[in-house]
Amino acid sequence: MPDPEQEKKPSVPGGSNPAQELTQEEIDQLLAASQAAANSVGGNGPIFDCRGNRFDRTNPPRVEPYDFSNPTVLEEHLLRILRQRHGEFADLLAARLSLYLRLDVTLELQSVSTQVYRRFAASVRNPSHVVLFKLEPLNGVGVLEIAPTLGLAFVDRMLGGKGESDPDATALTEIEMNLLDDVLLVFLEEWARIWGSETPLTPSLLGRESGGRYLQTSASDTIMLVAVFDGTAGSSTERIQVAIPFPSIEHLVRGMSALLPAPEDEKPEHSTEWRPIYNNIPIPLSVEWDACELTVKEILDLKPGQVIRLPRQIISDTRVRLGDVSRFTGEIGVDGDHLAVRIDKTTSQEDV
């Protein structure tokens, strides 16, 4: 009878011995060969699209890395809007804090991105000063992180100091945290304004943490909108980052795209269709010339019966006005029993 263990042995397709086992060396060679083919985007390995069509080697595709653990949920034009809004916010907040603290404060935007919550929580330093907040009437809890050294610089200035802090500080006292809350509320009030909500967003502080290790304000796979700034006050320059669950503000972000001007190639053309009702609209027509110049005394001396001599060439430089717009130029003359103007050319707006 055949050995059942023998029948379970893997075989090599097309090999001389169908029951031959792969050695570890052969397995390593196969893995190395497949890895080399996968890495040969610009080399000798074939590249196929999602439909199984092979790319032409003379026109290889542009390959970009994609992090499936940190999906991007915003289109590039929306990210541009958010970066612009946050850049303007940074300038306004820096000016407001400088007046509030009577201290030179600068705020520079570093990035605006979307991250899953677990990645954002891992980026929060330990120790740090973390404030949990809510923007009423939106759902979801936001997170604002500020380095203790920068927070203490704000507190020092509020207490009458020069805005200095201990670079080795890792924690704030209860009194210092209460004072810093006033500055952070100013931050959140200005940040709430960038969303352009018809209903005013009112920030409120919910609690504090000393780092990101135990943050559990959202599910681990929740998409967060994260803005990172570099803040400077006195001699301290540290990172500030603010994050809020993207589902809470998605409708506001999507609404921002409606405020963008349409691209040039998408702007609707003005209709030039003529309507019969236009035919009976009366438009006053007049003619005019640039005749001559008179001094103020000569104008004051004008009396009925006097003759003003005009240059002969103005006859061929007669302007025809339609309403208040100079539309044509031509030459005035006599046609039977009437004065007439022969139109020679259309007047452009630059010639007026």
Side-chain angles (χ1 to χ4, degrees), residues 300-314:
L300 294 175
D301 292 339
L302 288 177
K303 297 177 182 178
Q306 287 183 319
V307 176
I308 300 176
R309 296 182 181 276
L310 303 178
R312 181 179 289 273
Q313 63 268 22
I314 69 170

Side-chain angles (χ1 to χ4, degrees), residues 36-242:
N39 294 334
S40 60
V41 172
N44 300 322
I47 305 175
F48 299 90
D49 64 12
C50 60
R51 297 179 179 85
N53 301 318
R54 186 168 181 169
F55 281 104
D56 185 1
R57 191 170 301 283
T58 60
N59 186 25
R62 184 166 63 93
V63 179
E64 295 182 356
Y66 185 84
D67 187 355
F68 286 91
S69 65
N70 189 36
T72 301
V73 296
L74 286 177
E75 297 84 356
E76 184 58 34
H77 74 281
L78 287 176
L79 280 173
R80 282 199 304 270
I81 298 174
L82 288 174
R83 293 187 189 108
Q84 178 184 354
R85 294 280 184 95
H86 280 80
E88 295 169 354
F89 155 76
D91 295 336
L92 291 173
L93 178 64
R96 184 175 174 183
L97 288 180
S98 296
L99 292 174
Y100 180 73
L101 298 171
R102 299 188 300 279
L103 175 70
D104 185 20
V105 177
T106 61
L107 198 66
E108 183 177 351
L109 176 66
Q110 295 301 315
S111 66
V112 177
S113 62
T114 54
Q115 302 177 17
V116 292
Y117 182 80
R118 61 177 175 273
R119 175 166 293 192
F120 163 72
S123 70
V124 177
R125 291 165 296 188
N126 292 287
S128 186
H129 183 67
V130 179
V131 172
L132 311 182
F133 68 89
K134 184 174 177 60
L135 294 181
E136 297 288 353
L138 300 181
N139 296 321
V141 176
V143 180
L144 174 60
E145 179 208 1
I146 183 172
T149 52
L150 184 59
L152 286 172
F154 291 145
V155 172
D156 181 69
R157 182 57 185 163
M158 295 173 73
L159 293 175
K162 297 181 180 180
E164 298 177 350
S165 64
D166 182 2
D168 298 325
T170 58
L172 283 72
T173 65
E174 188 67 26
I175 294 177
E176 291 168 339
M177 287 189 288
N178 288 332
L179 289 171
L180 183 58
D181 283 349
D182 293 340
V183 177
L184 299 183
L185 272 176
V186 172
F187 182 106
L188 293 173
E189 287 171 0
E190 288 292 336
W191 191 66
R193 291 191 178 99
I194 71 175
W195 302 110
S197 173
E198 295 181 359
T199 303
L201 303 179
T202 305
S204 59
L205 304 184
L206 304 179
R208 309 184 188 103
E209 294 287 346
S210 59
R213 183 176 304 168
Y214 302 110
L215 278 179
Q216 295 180 353
T217 60
S218 300
S220 61
D221 57 349
T222 300
I223 301 298
M224 306 289 290
L225 182 71
V226 183
V228 182
F229 305 87
D230 277 345
T232 300
S235 58
S236 300
T237 299
E238 294 288 351
R239 184 186 72 179
I240 303 174
Q241 64 175 342
V242 58

